[in-house]
């Protein structure tokens, strides 16, 4: 059992949970993810480790309500437990030997971006961070990024904070201004990572993306998370989840992500019915 | 003279059973079992024992059933076999113990598997006292052994080592123990309650079971050896699915059999939406491959409501690797067999979901390296099979997570661990391996046999290495 030690609501429907998991915290590195399961009837859900503290033996995960399972996790409170937490999974990324990097985070993707940005900064890179959200209210981890970035820029779809528009607008300016950027990391919705990768390709700048594919086991034994990278099929859980953005087939990934949409609805409405019964 | 044929085992009616996940084979009753046990000739030099990879004393346990001593019969089996309820159900007895039975020369061999299952079932309720007595025997631990993987080889090695007096810890990556018994073989062939109780029986020997632990990630094999453990047994199986590497394989509606079966068996997707893991089954399902995993997937699809479920196999019926019994059950349930057919590409609609599979017809040529006739495509025979779900069941390889993390563990060209056949000793001192991670995908009982041999070898290793030096 893995206890929740601290809960913070970061934005509407976005929750941060600090979980007691000393064995996993001891091995966690930027890029690693977890598979969690709340109770006996739950799905296995992949979540990136947004932060870890080896001394306290804790992991931080940040999650947004989108379907039944994420809602169930967001409804957990301090003292509650996850029945299962597996990790650290996936490949961690090497953050040494970069001198100037742009870290681009969109929506909830800001959370998995953080440990990588922090580690790049600790290894001596100049960090330019670009965070995007739908509205100012939905923007998360601004303070954390302020602390580790040499420059921090924000864009919102509605212009309620920072520049109005998309992260790619700011990124384009940065790529024009600087010809010594040696890495772009982009994490966010698949469509955002697709357009970031398209843009950076024109400038020939190495670009890493972290895919949030559907997963079951997260250990390479089912292939549910497969993705076409270059000409090859890779498993995001063991070969990734970080890949070269210039090689990923994003359209295929977007299609695969929507496959269980109807089931998500059914799970939600089924649960809704149950809750009503309990109330009566 | 004994009857020439086996006592029939009652089965759930095919029309009924395709609508549920309950066990198909219902098992012998007391009278059936005693009658079948009476067929055994009690040979002086029993060949059946040689056919059993864990060398159960078959004539003796059968004699005990004949005499009505069911509990003693189970104890006799358990001297050698730690998972009798599983083996009685899923072993290919026709290729092992029953293949050697002398009655099989002129008629049908004794139904050893069915009797083993009967003993495990009938005595299950009374067997606890047996377990407890055995666990009392172990007082001081002779040493600590780590077992990686809780499938058949790991469970067997763990139980045998615990019986010998070792403190054993199993590390399992999933949230449930059992390996393929839990995530792979469906409920209708091997009820999960039975797997659970077999695992519980093994834990009663004092075996510690740590779930959610991916060795190679949370701990390395070296860390296990450096910290607490005198030896490590690697029984991580062959869980890496193979794909066909044809166009359209990443379309929605294409599953590996591992994913499809894991969703249904481990995550209980057949009980969606009570259980939250979904599984998609269209109206027309094609399963590519013809092993036991393919039969399991095709029969599962039917139970999930597919109107048509078919096997697509590039060779002919004779070469199908699945057990005859499973093929017969599949046929009775209405699974179609598209033999001598090979997929060329999978076709999708605008939304990227499967809408058909292009196949080419095949003919058989001369035997290949495997000894089976080589399938050859017939020119210009391509056609489109009307399906909306494709499940790939063409085999599994070894999972590389642990191996990549332990580079000094020697592997061969197929990525399996190189280990001595009689001992499981690997290239790395103190590390033993057995089951599918050494042989590639094989059978439950072979994995158990390997776990048994490795347990003996680990006992000898620890006694000579650790105590020998003192």
């Amino acid at each position: 059992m893995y206890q929740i030690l601290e809960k913070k609501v970061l934005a509407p429907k976005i929750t941060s949970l600090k979980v007691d998991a000393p064995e996993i915290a001891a091995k966690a590195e930027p890029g690693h993810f977890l598979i969690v399961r709340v109770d006996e009837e739950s799905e296995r859900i992949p979540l990136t480790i947004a932060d870890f503290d080896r001394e306290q033996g804790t992991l931080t995960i940040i999650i947004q309500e989108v379907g039944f399972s994420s809602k169930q996790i967001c409804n957990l409170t301090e003292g509650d437990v996850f029945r299962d937490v597996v990790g650290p999974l996936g490949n961690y990324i090497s953050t040494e030997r970069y001198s100037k990097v742009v870290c681009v985070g969109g929506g909830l993707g800001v959370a998995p971006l953080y440990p990588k940005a922090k580690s790049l900064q600790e290894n001596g890179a100049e960090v330019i961070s670009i965070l995007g959200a739908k509205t100012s209210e939905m923007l998360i981890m601004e303070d954390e990024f302020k602390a580790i970035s040499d420059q921090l820029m924000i864009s919102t779809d509605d212009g309620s904070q920072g520049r109005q528009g998309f992260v790619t607008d700011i990124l384009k300016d940065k790529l024009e201004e600087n010809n010594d950027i040696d890495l772009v990391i982009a994490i966010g919705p698949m469509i955002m990572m697709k357009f970031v990768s398209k843009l950076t390709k024109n400038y020939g700048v190495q670009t890493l993306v972290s895919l949030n594919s559907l997963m079951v086991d997260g250990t390479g034994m089912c292939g549910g998370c497969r993705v076409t990278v270059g000409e090859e099929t890779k498993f995001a859980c063991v070969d990734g989840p970080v890949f070269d953005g210039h090689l990923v087939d994003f359209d295929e990934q977007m299609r695969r992500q929507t496959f269980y949409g109807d089931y998500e609805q059914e799970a939600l409405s089924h649960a809704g019915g149950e809750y009503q019964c309990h109330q009566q | 003279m004994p009857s020439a044929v086996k006592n029939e085992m009652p089965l759930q009616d095919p029309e009924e059973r395709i609508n549920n996940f309950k066990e198909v084979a219902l098992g012998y009753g007391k009278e059936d079992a005693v009658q079948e046990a009476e067929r055994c000739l009690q040979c002086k030099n029993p060949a059946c024992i040689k056919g059993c990879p864990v060398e159960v004393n078959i004539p003796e346990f059968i004699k005990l059933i004949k005499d009505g001593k069911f509990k003693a019969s189970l104890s006799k089996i358990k001297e050698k076999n730690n998972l009798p309820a599983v083996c009685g159900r899923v072993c290919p007895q026709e290729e092992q113990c029953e293949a050697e039975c002398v009655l099989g020369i002129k008629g049908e061999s004794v139904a050893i598997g069915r009797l083993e299952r009967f003993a495990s079932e009938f005595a299950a309720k009374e067997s606890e006292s047996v377990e407890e007595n055995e666990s009392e025997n172990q007082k001081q631990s002779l040493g600590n052994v780590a077992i990686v993987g809780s499938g058949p080889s790991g469970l067997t090695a763990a139980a045998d080592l615990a019986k010998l007096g070792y403190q054993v810890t199993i590390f399992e990556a999933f949230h449930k123990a059992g390996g393929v018994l839990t995530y792979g073989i469906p409920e209708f062939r091997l009820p999960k309650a039975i797997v659970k109780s077999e695992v519980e029986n093994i834990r009663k020997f004092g075996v510690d079971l740590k779930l959610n632990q991916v060795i190679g990630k949370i701990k390395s094999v070296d860390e296990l050896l450096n910290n607490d453990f005198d030896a490590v047994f690697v029984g991580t199986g062959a869980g890496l699915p193979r794909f066909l590497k044809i166009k359209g394989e990443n379309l929605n509606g294409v599953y590996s059999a591992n994913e499809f079966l894991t969703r249904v068996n481990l995550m209980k997707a057949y009980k969606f939406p009570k259980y939250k893991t979904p599984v998609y089954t269209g109206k027309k399902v094609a399963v590519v491959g013809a092993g036991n995993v393919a039969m399991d997937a095709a029969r599962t699809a039917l139970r999930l409501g597919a109107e048509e479920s078919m096997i697509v196999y590039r060779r002919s019926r004779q070469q199908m690797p699945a057990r005859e019994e499973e093929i017969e059950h599949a046929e009775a349930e209405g699974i179609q067999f598209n033999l001598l057919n090979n997929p060329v590409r999978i076709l999708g609609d605008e939304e990227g979901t499967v809408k058909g599979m292009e196949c080419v017809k095949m003919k058989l040529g001369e035997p290949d390296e495997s000894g089976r006739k080589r399938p050859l495509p017939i020119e210009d025979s391509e056609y489109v099979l009307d399906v909306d779900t494709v499940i790939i069941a063409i085999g599994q390889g070894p999972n590389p997570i642990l191996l990549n993390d332990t580079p000094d563990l020697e592997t061969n060209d197929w990525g399996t661990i190189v280990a001595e056949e009689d001992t499981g000793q690997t290239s790395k001192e103190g590390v033993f391996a057995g089951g599918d991670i050494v042989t590639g995908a094989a059978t439950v009982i072979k994995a158990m046999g390997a776990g048994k041999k490795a347990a003996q070898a680990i006992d000898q290793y620890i006694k000579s290495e650790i105590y020998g030096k003192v």
Side-chain angles (χ1 to χ4, degrees):
Chain A
M1 296 288 199
Y2 305 80
Q3 197 172 30
I4 294 167
L5 303 174
E6 198 180 297
K7 174 181 180 168
K8 286 184 203 159
V9 177
L10 303 185
K13 300 197 170 187
I14 298 183
T15 301
S16 163
L17 299 172
K18 193 180 266 186
V19 184
D20 179 41
E23 281 190 305
I24 302 173
K27 286 298 185 82
E29 296 286 351
H32 278 146
F33 71 95
L34 308 168
I35 294 272
V36 306
R37 204 170 74 114
V38 178
D39 61 37
E40 186 53 40
E41 291 170 2
S42 300
E43 291 180 87
R44 293 166 67 95
I45 301 284
L47 291 170
T48 309
I49 300 174
D51 206 356
F52 53 87
D53 187 322
R54 296 199 208 282
E55 278 175 26
Q56 283 183 33
T58 59
L59 303 169
T60 302
I61 51 174
I62 296 179
I63 181 160
Q64 181 168 21
E65 271 186 51
V66 285
F68 173 83
S69 299
S70 52
K71 192 172 176 174
Q72 186 184 26
I73 294 172
C74 288
N75 284 340
L76 296 172
T77 57
E78 286 168 14
D80 285 350
V81 293
F82 284 101
R83 189 184 176 103
D84 304 296
V85 178
V86 194
L89 298 171
N91 285 325
Y92 66 91
I93 63 162
S94 160
T95 50
E96 290 151 28
R97 68 170 206 275
Y98 291 105
S99 56
K100 193 171 193 176
V101 301
V102 183
C103 296
V104 189
L108 189 73
V110 169
L113 180 67
Y114 177 69
K116 297 156 186 104
K118 184 165 120 182
S119 175
L120 283 160
Q121 190 257 352
E122 283 168 358
N123 281 313
E126 181 186 338
V127 174
I128 302 171
S129 298
I130 306 171
L131 307 183
K134 279 193 174 134
T135 66
S136 168
E137 204 188 8
M138 297 296 288
L139 184 72
I140 58 170
M141 300 186 86
E142 192 184 343
D143 292 341
E144 284 88 341
F145 270 89
K146 211 172 262 169
I148 57 155
S149 306
D150 295 273
Q151 292 179 53
L152 171 65
M153 265 136 308
I154 286 161
S155 75
T156 48
D157 294 6
D158 66 351
S160 54
Q161 189 178 348
R163 179 163 160 181
Q164 198 240 318
F166 298 122
V167 287
T168 39
D169 301 333
I170 302 177
L171 178 61
K172 190 162 191 293
D173 291 349
K174 291 294 151 196
L175 290 165
E176 291 289 340
E177 286 165 23
N178 305 273
N179 58 7
D180 55 347
I181 292 167
D182 51 5
L183 176 71
V184 171
I185 298 190
I187 309 181
M190 216 61 95
I191 188 87
M192 169 218 142
M193 294 191 282
K194 175 182 168 175
F195 282 104
V196 166
S197 301
K198 259 189 158 174
L199 178 65
T200 58
K201 202 168 182 185
N202 297 332
Y203 294 84
V205 177
Q206 186 197 353
T207 301
L208 296 175
V209 297
S210 180
L211 301 183
N212 49 337
S213 315
L214 299 181
M215 289 185 190
V216 183
D217 60 289
T219 60
M221 61 154 285
C222 87
C225 63
R226 58 198 190 276
V227 47
T228 304
V229 180
E231 296 293 302
E232 276 181 86
T233 291
K234 300 276 187 187
F235 292 180
C237 70
V238 289
D239 300 316
V242 174
F243 292 103
D244 180 343
H246 297 154
L247 298 177
V248 170
D249 183 342
F250 288 103
D251 294 336
E252 177 187 275
Q253 280 299 293
M254 283 187 264
R255 271 193 343 243
R256 289 184 67 82
Q257 270 192 328
T258 59
F259 187 46
Y260 294 100
D262 296 346
Y263 293 87
E264 278 292 334
Q265 285 310 313
E266 199 184 333
L268 270 173
S269 57
H270 173 78
E274 264 190 2
Y275 288 144
Q276 273 167 14
C277 287
H278 286 307
Q279 278 159 12
Q280 287 160 7
Chain B
M1 264 306 279
S3 152
V5 296
K6 288 177 187 173
N7 245 350
E8 286 293 327
M9 181 161 61
L11 301 176
Q12 218 196 126
D13 182 67
E15 290 197 15
E16 175 95 26
R17 73 191 192 222
I18 59 168
N19 296 313
N20 67 51
F21 276 82
K22 288 184 211 149
E23 196 170 13
V24 165
L26 301 172
Y28 277 157
K30 225 191 267 190
E31 279 173 25
D32 295 324
V34 172
Q35 224 172 45
E36 182 64 27
E38 282 167 354
R39 292 182 64 226
C40 175
L41 299 177
Q42 295 291 318
C43 303
K44 283 217 177 84
N45 294 306
C48 52
I49 300 179
K50 293 185 200 97
C52 172
V54 298
E55 296 173 345
V56 167
N57 194 327
I58 293 164
E60 280 192 29
F61 99 74
I62 290 182
K63 184 165 187 304
L64 290 164
I65 291 179
K66 189 180 127 191
D67 297 343
K69 295 175 182 161
F70 305 134
K71 197 171 141 184
S73 168
L74 180 65
S75 301
K76 180 54 69 185
I77 297 171
K78 283 196 162 183
E79 284 174 10
K80 296 284 187 176
N81 183 342
N82 297 305
L83 302 166
V86 172
C87 290
R89 286 172 169 83
V90 304
C91 273
Q93 290 100 4
E94 65 277 10
E95 295 166 16
Q96 296 178 325
C97 55
E98 292 181 19
E100 305 294 330
C101 173
V102 291
L103 286 187
I105 299 168
K106 283 189 175 169
E108 284 186 350
S109 56
V110 175
I112 300 167
R114 293 174 188 177
L115 289 171
E116 181 178 32
R117 171 181 165 164
F118 167 80
S120 73
E121 253 168 13
F122 203 85
K125 294 161 211 138
E126 309 160 58
S127 66
E128 277 175 31
S129 52
V130 182
E131 248 75 72
E132 278 158 18
N133 290 338
E134 287 187 64
S135 60
E136 274 172 24
N137 290 340
Q138 36 161 315
K139 284 166 193 137
Q140 212 171 355
S141 169
L142 292 171
N144 297 325
V145 183
I147 308 277
V148 187
S150 68
S153 72
L155 289 174
T156 301
D160 281 8
L161 285 161
K163 286 185 205 169
L164 287 167
Y166 291 90
Q167 179 55 51
V168 180
T169 306
I170 302 180
F171 295 90
E172 164 59 42
F174 266 140
H175 57 264
K176 279 194 181 126
V180 75
L181 309 175
T182 296
Y183 75 76
I185 303 175
E187 191 86 15
F188 55 82
R189 214 148 66 79
L190 179 63
K192 299 308 141 214
I194 284 168
V195 180
K196 199 178 163 195
S197 84
E198 296 274 56
V199 172
E200 280 310 311
N201 284 339
I202 284 170
R203 288 183 70 180
K204 282 183 199 149
F205 296 128
V207 172
D208 188 16
L209 176 63
K210 285 194 188 306
L211 301 171
N212 297 322
Q213 302 259 321
V214 182
I215 299 302
K217 290 289 182 188
I218 195 160
K219 282 190 184 75
S220 67
V221 170
D222 284 323
E223 283 173 287
L224 294 175
L225 284 172
N226 292 340
N227 294 335
D228 307 318
F229 297 100
D230 301 312
V232 175
F233 174 77
V234 180
T236 48
L240 184 80
R242 292 210 182 95
F243 285 90
L244 291 157
K245 297 192 170 154
I246 58 173
K247 271 198 173 154
E249 209 159 22
N250 293 348
L251 288 164
N252 291 343
V254 182
Y255 282 113
S256 73
N258 265 10
E259 179 181 1
F260 185 71
L261 293 171
T262 299
R263 284 177 180 271
V264 177
N265 298 328
L266 178 72
M267 306 310 296
K268 300 202 190 303
Y270 67 98
K271 291 183 179 170
F272 182 87
K274 180 173 163 33
Y275 284 76
K276 305 304 174 195
T277 304
V279 68
Y280 171 81
T281 315
K283 291 195 170 74
K284 294 182 178 184
V285 180
V287 178
V288 182
N292 289 322
V293 175
M295 297 304 138
D296 287 344
R299 296 171 70 195
T300 297
L302 208 62
R303 284 161 172 78
L304 289 171
E307 286 164 15
E308 286 177 44
S309 179
M310 63 188 90
I311 292 284
V312 175
Y313 181 48
R314 60 193 184 135
R315 290 183 159 103
S316 63
R317 186 180 157 122
Q318 262 189 315
Q319 288 89 27
M320 284 172 46
R323 282 187 74 189
E324 184 58 32
E325 187 180 291
E326 301 311 321
I327 298 170
E328 282 168 18
H329 286 173
E331 280 172 333
E333 288 168 13
I335 304 292
Q336 300 160 33
F337 289 80
N338 275 330
L339 305 173
L340 291 165
N341 271 282
N342 204 28
V344 182
R345 64 183 170 132
I346 302 166
L347 310 165
D349 62 17
E350 317 77 55
E351 287 169 357
T353 306
V354 176
K355 68 165 186 188
M357 184 163 75
E358 189 179 316
C359 297
V360 62
K361 298 211 160 121
M362 308 290 279
K363 61 184 177 196
L364 293 179
E366 293 302 307
D368 62 14
E369 318 82 69
S370 76
R372 294 181 299 176
K373 288 181 177 171
R374 187 192 297 274
L376 302 163
I378 299 172
E379 253 179 71
D380 298 325
S381 66
E382 287 86 358
Y383 71 102
V384 173
L385 202 60
D386 176 23
V387 293
D388 52 16
T389 305
V390 175
I391 300 170
I392 315 286
I394 55 165
Q396 291 104 237
N399 189 308
I401 287 183
L402 180 142
L403 304 175
N404 289 345
D405 190 59
T406 319
D408 53 340
L409 202 51
E410 193 190 333
T411 54
N412 63 24
D413 294 346
W414 297 276
T416 55
I417 296 178
V418 176
E420 283 175 26
E421 202 184 324
D422 289 335
T423 62
Q425 173 66 54
T426 68
S427 61
K428 193 172 165 69
E429 204 198 320
V431 179
F432 297 76
D436 286 3
I437 188 65
V438 172
T439 57
T443 60
V444 168
I445 188 73
K446 281 189 181 140
M448 291 178 54
K452 220 169 196 24
K453 282 181 185 166
Q456 289 297 329
I458 289 169
D459 179 41
Q460 281 179 14
Y461 165 77
I462 292 181
K463 281 180 180 154
S464 65
E465 285 298 311
I466 312 246
Y467 297 102
K469 278 179 196 162
V470 174

